[in-house]
């Protein structure tokens, strides 16, 4: 069975602090894909990153970085020097091929509050 | 490109009323999806479609019907709305492979009184 767990329901930080959002996934498949989405207060879901199971290289994009560790089945997301605009709900998702459609398994989301 | 659009953005229904939510995408995606988002539960898949004229059930299909008569449109119907269907509904679309991200619409906030 596939599952994504985001144990942190809500996190509050002060602007300029670094913050890490945790994502733990479960799957028995060797080929899979992991995603992060951002849902700002306006409501739409914005795609941030995709990672495949064969690429464990960490990725950095500006203030955002992602740490993928197969050994711990984790795909954590770090925001460096957080800003108020980072306040949003962040979702981690897992996709596994072999189905007849592109099924996503979403975590329950982590709400990030960045205070000025 | 408009991407994925949803109509309407907000709606209030009384118990027992019916309505249809419209989703349209202009990216020529094969796959389309309807999700509902409830507090603390993430996104749950209601129905999906892998192509024009096809639909299938997701995790929480009861009380909903869908149709995909045209590739670019995916309709979600509530025949007899119930308060348990109060939620935010998202439509999404994607290419037909699992490594592709899903593109989401802006959502429809539905309240059933």
């Amino acid at each position: 069975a596939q599952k994504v767990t985001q144990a942190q329901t809500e996190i509050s930080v002060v602007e300029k602090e670094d913050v890490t959002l945790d994502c733990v996934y479960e799957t028995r498949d060797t080929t899979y894909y992991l995603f992060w989405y951002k849902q700002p207060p306006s409501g739409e879901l914005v795609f941030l990153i995709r990672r495949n199971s064969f690429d464990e290289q960490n990725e950095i994009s500006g203030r955002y970085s992602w740490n993928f560790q197969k050994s711990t089945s984790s795909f954590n997301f770090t925001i460096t020097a957080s800003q108020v605009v980072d306040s949003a709900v962040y979702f981690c998702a897992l996709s596994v091929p072999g189905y007849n459609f592109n099924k996503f398994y979403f975590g329950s989301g982590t709400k990030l509050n960045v205070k000025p | 490109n408009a991407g994925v659009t949803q109509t309407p953005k907000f709606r209030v229904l009384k118990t027992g009323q019916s309505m249809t939510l419209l989703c349209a995408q202009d990216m020529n995606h094969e796959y389309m999806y309807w999700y509902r988002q409830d507090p603390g539960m993430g996104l749950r898949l209601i129905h999906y479609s892998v192509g024009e004229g096809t639909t299938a059930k997701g995790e929480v299909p009861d009380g909903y019907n869908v149709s995909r008569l045209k590739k670019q449109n995916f309709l979600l119907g509530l025949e007899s709305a119930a308060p348990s269907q109060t939620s935010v509904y998202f439509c999404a679309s994607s290419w037909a492979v699992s490594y592709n991200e899903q593109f989401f619409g802006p959502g429809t906030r539905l309240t059933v009184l």
Side-chain angles (χ1 to χ4, degrees):
Chain A
Q2 336 292 343
K3 185 179 178 182
V4 175
T5 302
Q6 294 181 257
Q8 303 153 309
T9 306
E10 188 165 353
I11 301 174
S12 292
V13 299
V14 176
E15 207 170 19
K16 297 185 182 177
E17 285 184 7
D18 298 347
V19 59
T20 295
L21 310 182
D22 298 333
C23 173
V24 174
Y25 61 92
E26 295 176 29
T27 180
R28 291 184 179 180
D29 289 72
T30 55
T31 301
Y32 52 88
Y33 305 90
L34 296 164
F35 303 80
W36 274 96
Y37 281 83
K38 175 182 180 180
Q39 185 179 39
S42 54
E44 77 281 12
L45 278 89
V46 178
F47 165 74
L48 295 178
I49 190 172
R50 171 183 58 239
R51 216 73 186 136
N52 73 61
S53 53
F54 299 107
D55 182 2
E56 285 194 74
Q57 274 195 332
N58 291 334
E59 180 150 345
I60 298 175
S61 176
R63 295 183 298 106
Y64 295 172
S65 63
W66 290 269
N67 183 353
F68 176 31
Q69 290 194 337
K70 289 177 74 171
S71 61
T72 55
S73 297
S74 64
F75 186 43
N76 296 338
F77 173 29
T78 297
I79 301 175
T80 302
S82 60
Q83 300 177 0
V84 173
V85 293
D86 296 327
S87 295
V89 179
Y90 292 86
F91 290 98
C92 181
L94 166 71
S95 178
V96 177
Y99 294 88
N100 67 343
F101 74 107
N102 188 7
K103 182 170 172 58
F104 271 38
Y105 299 86
F106 283 92
S108 55
T110 297
K111 185 176 183 182
L112 175 64
N113 302 306
V114 181
K115 301 174 183 178
Chain B
N1 288 345
V4 180
T5 57
Q6 292 181 231
T7 309
K9 288 188 169 56
F10 303 93
R11 187 71 186 269
V12 178
L13 290 178
K14 294 181 180 178
T15 297
Q17 287 185 320
S18 64
M19 79 162 294
T20 300
L21 282 67
L22 171 63
C23 175
Q25 53 96 3
D26 61 3
M27 295 172 281
N28 205 32
H29 287 160
E30 291 89 357
Y31 292 174
M32 296 187 75
Y33 319 79
W34 276 107
Y35 292 91
R36 60 178 288 173
Q37 183 181 21
D38 301 293
M41 301 189 75
L43 286 91
R44 293 184 292 170
L45 184 65
I46 304 171
H47 285 279
Y48 65 95
S49 168
V50 299
E52 183 178 314
T54 72
T55 63
K57 294 180 180 180
E59 303 168 60
V60 289
D62 293 343
Y64 305 96
N65 56 75
V66 288
S67 65
R68 191 160 177 208
L69 300 179
K70 293 183 179 181
K71 187 177 183 179
Q72 64 268 33
N73 295 337
F74 195 27
L75 278 65
L76 178 71
L78 286 73
E79 290 188 348
S80 180
S84 60
Q85 294 177 304
T86 293
S87 187
V88 180
Y89 292 86
F90 286 97
C91 176
S93 68
S94 76
W95 296 113
V97 285
S98 58
Y99 56 77
N100 280 124
E101 67 270 28
Q102 294 183 9
F103 293 81
F104 284 83
T108 295
R109 185 172 295 275
L110 174 65
T111 302
V112 183
L113 302 174

